[in-house]
Amino acid sequence: CPTPSDLRTANGTRICAQLYTDNSPYYDQCCGGSTLVVYPGSDVPYMPHGWVATVSSLVVGNRCELTVWSRAGKKGKTRNFGA
């Protein structure tokens, strides 16, 4: 997995979080599969098509917080993730 301070696009734009579809009990095999990028200031009340219930690992950048909800439309229980 990338470190929180390494979350940047190829042109250097900061990324707040990356979500991945594949995970493993072995750390060096985590953060695989498809990647969903979350930019600073993003407000997404619904997961993109094909991403519902598929995220298995994530990395949150420095000075960012990722809040997720258990139900669509920002409903249900919340959980916050940081670097």
Side-chain angles (χ1 to χ4, degrees), residues 2-65:
T3 64
S5 61
D6 288 339
L7 289 183
R8 296 198 177 276
T9 63
N11 68 3
T13 304
R14 191 166 72 102
I15 295 172
C16 269
Q18 284 189 167
L19 290 66
Y20 302 90
T21 56
D22 294 345
N23 194 10
S24 170
Y26 302 103
Y27 185 77
D28 62 337
Q29 297 174 16
C30 289
C31 301
S34 298
T35 304
L36 179 64
V37 175
V38 180
Y39 293 99
S42 295
D43 184 11
V44 183
Y46 298 93
M47 290 296 284
H49 180 71
W51 277 88
V52 174
T54 62
V55 176
S56 63
S57 54
L58 58 89
V59 177
V60 178
N62 294 328
R63 300 184 325 268
C64 287
E65 182 176 81

